[in-house]
Amino acid sequence: MICPIQTKESAEILVDYCAGTLDPGRAAEFEKHSEECADCRRLIEAQREVWERLGGWKPGAVSPDFDSRLYARIAQEEAAPRWSQWRRFLQPAAPYSIWKPVLPLAAACAVLAIGFLIRMPNSRDGAKQVSAENVDIEQVEKTLEDLDMLTPLTVPPARPM
Amino acid sequence: MDDPLNSAQPSANTRVKRDMEAVAALGRDAELMLRVRDGDDTGFTMLLERHRAPVIHFLHRMVQNQAIAEELAQEVFLRVYRSRATYEPTAKFTTWLFRIATHVALNWLRDGRKEKGQESLNQKLLDGLERQVPDSGRNIEEEMLYEGKLCEVRQAIESLPVKQRAAVLMHKYEELEYSQIAQALGCSGAAVKSLLFRAYESLRARLSHMA
């Protein structure tokens, strides 16, 4: 077995072994390896100690009125008018401290967007005006006359005798 | 001509069948939650009975304050109740529950409310207030030794970054699988293993005399 300390597997094997959740085959293999590997033995001892010390932290009993307080809140919410329940969706998902650095960037984006919106319609109108000015009736008539003049010059196909 | 009632029947049957399959796969909690979804509030009472203590204990270890943990747990169960109508048994109920609990705890910690509500461990020791562990027949010296060790453990857990803390607490105390922790934290299984490795490394450095 390759020493788990030297591989990325180390966390999983060590933690699972000390938690007693490593499958028996791999546990036996790891035990066999640790008999020869002082580093692994030391790590196992340290992890076991951590595991035991964490196990000594027992939180206190739950307040006896926990359920009644919860049911009171549920009843209060159920009794509230429907529109008031939408308020919680309007509240920001993240606290203001997270939003704060984003606000200047958002403001800058908004200014740019407004700028584009203001500029865009003008440029389109301008394009229309330019194209309208370029259309000259006389020029069109002249072009049509030129086309008419070209027509007689085309050689008619030879008729069979 | 198609009868609308008959044409609607297969979708309802499909839903019931899908729910039954999910219940068989995901267990009792999913069944209870489906009962809540269908309007049976006794299902919610039973879910509360089964998961009240683990959720409060998890939150207590996250925020290190019993009163705040209970307040946050109320929010967790309130969110579960609010979501009953849209509940789909796609994952284990405990995974979903701890996802909500983690979200609530991380929000609270990030929100800066920690400073307001945090009880000082040292202050608590100085005040000589009654500790949370029930009387175990220890004498004063043993009790002081126990308190000292407990204080070390709490401080070591508190020193961890919040995601590492949540991962360790779900792994050690709630015995959730890596995949469940990953879903609760919204990250990959590999990321959870990495979080746990770094967290236990820090804890070994702080708590183990072998390290």
Side-chain angles (χ1 to χ4, degrees):
Chain A
M1 181 185 188
I2 302 167
C3 180
I5 293 174
Q6 293 166 9
T7 67
K8 285 183 178 178
E9 277 187 307
S10 62
E12 196 180 340
I13 290 178
L14 178 74
V15 168
D16 288 354
Y17 178 75
C18 293
T21 53
L22 192 64
D23 71 75
R26 289 182 83 191
E29 199 180 356
F30 184 51
E31 274 170 10
K32 193 179 171 186
H33 164 78
S34 64
E35 283 170 10
E36 297 159 3
C37 180
D39 287 342
C40 279
R41 272 203 307 278
R42 199 165 48 247
L43 212 54
I44 289 169
E45 285 302 313
Q47 180 66 17
R48 274 188 177 150
E49 195 181 340
V50 166
W51 200 252
E52 280 174 21
R53 293 195 64 181
L54 291 178
W57 185 9
K58 312 281 185 205
V62 178
S63 303
D65 65 339
F66 179 85
D67 287 10
S68 57
R69 280 190 289 140
L70 177 63
Y71 288 129
R73 282 182 72 175
I74 289 173
Q76 190 183 1
E77 207 166 272
E78 295 283 297
R82 284 280 167 201
W83 61 266
S84 69
Q85 292 177 16
W86 284 95
R87 278 190 309 183
R88 68 169 181 263
F89 294 109
L90 296 175
Q91 287 171 350
Y96 179 68
S97 56
I98 292 173
W99 282 100
K100 201 176 174 181
V102 183
L103 286 176
L105 184 67
C109 288
V111 169
L112 282 173
I114 291 166
F116 274 117
L117 284 172
I118 292 167
R119 291 281 299 168
M120 289 282 275
N122 284 348
S123 61
R124 277 181 194 162
D125 290 348
K128 280 177 189 170
Q129 282 169 2
V130 170
S131 59
E133 281 169 5
N134 287 343
V135 175
D136 189 348
I137 295 168
E138 285 180 14
Q139 195 178 357
V140 172
E141 284 176 354
K142 194 180 172 187
T143 307
L144 289 170
E145 282 171 10
D146 289 346
L147 284 170
D148 287 339
M149 284 174 69
L150 286 170
T151 310
L153 294 176
T154 52
V155 180
R159 290 183 181 178
M161 295 294 289
Chain B
M1 192 175 172
D2 287 338
D3 182 353
L5 287 174
N6 286 338
S7 62
Q9 199 64 24
S11 63
N13 283 342
T14 309
R15 190 182 178 188
V16 169
K17 192 182 171 190
R18 197 185 60 211
D19 286 349
M20 293 304 287
E21 284 170 358
V23 164
L26 302 172
R28 177 87 174 129
D29 292 330
E31 183 194 342
L32 289 171
M33 195 59 206
L34 288 174
R35 277 170 56 182
V36 180
R37 187 184 71 183
D38 296 339
D40 179 3
D41 281 353
T42 57
F44 184 74
T45 307
M46 291 166 83
L47 279 171
L48 187 59
E49 191 62 41
R50 284 163 72 91
H51 299 289
R52 183 201 305 110
V55 168
I56 294 174
H57 290 171
F58 169 74
L59 290 167
H60 181 175
R61 290 177 176 120
M62 279 297 287
V63 302
Q64 307 235 351
N65 181 302
Q66 179 72 14
I68 291 165
E70 288 196 12
E71 202 55 39
L72 296 179
Q74 296 247 328
E75 182 62 30
V76 171
F77 285 107
L78 204 57
R79 286 190 188 190
V80 168
Y81 191 79
R82 277 180 200 148
S83 312
R84 66 195 184 284
T86 53
Y87 175 75
E88 290 292 338
T90 50
K92 273 190 174 177
F93 177 78
T94 44
T95 307
W96 182 54
L97 186 65
F98 277 95
R99 185 178 171 84
I100 298 172
T102 305
H103 185 73
V104 166
L106 293 186
N107 269 357
W108 187 83
L109 290 166
R110 282 179 192 150
D111 213 9
R113 279 179 283 182
K114 186 172 181 279
E115 283 73 24
K116 274 191 272 173
Q118 178 69 41
E119 66 184 29
S120 162
L121 295 173
N122 294 335
Q123 188 61 44
K124 201 175 179 186
L125 282 173
L126 286 171
D127 290 347
L129 295 175
E130 187 185 345
R131 300 301 296 187
Q132 59 204 350
V133 180
D135 182 24
S136 56
R138 287 186 284 263
N139 61 34
I140 294 173
E141 278 183 18
E142 286 171 342
E143 194 62 37
M144 283 178 72
L145 191 66
Y146 174 81
E147 291 294 347
K149 284 184 173 179
L150 185 63
C151 190
E152 273 181 19
V153 170
R154 289 173 62 140
Q155 283 175 342
I157 290 283
E158 197 187 6
S159 71
L160 294 175
V162 286
K163 272 202 165 183
Q164 287 185 26
R165 194 188 312 176
V168 165
L169 297 180
M170 281 188 272
H171 180 255
K172 165 64 187 162
Y173 298 105
E174 311 311 327
E175 298 178 351
L176 298 191
E177 296 163 10
Y178 293 125
S179 60
Q180 288 183 285
I181 300 171
Q183 283 182 55
L185 290 175
C187 58
S188 67
V192 165
K193 286 174 188 175
S194 173
L195 279 176
L196 284 172
F197 180 71
R198 281 183 276 137
Y200 283 123
E201 203 171 34
S202 303
L203 292 175
R204 281 197 298 271
R206 286 188 71 126
L207 295 176
S208 171
H209 301 111
M210 305 280 182

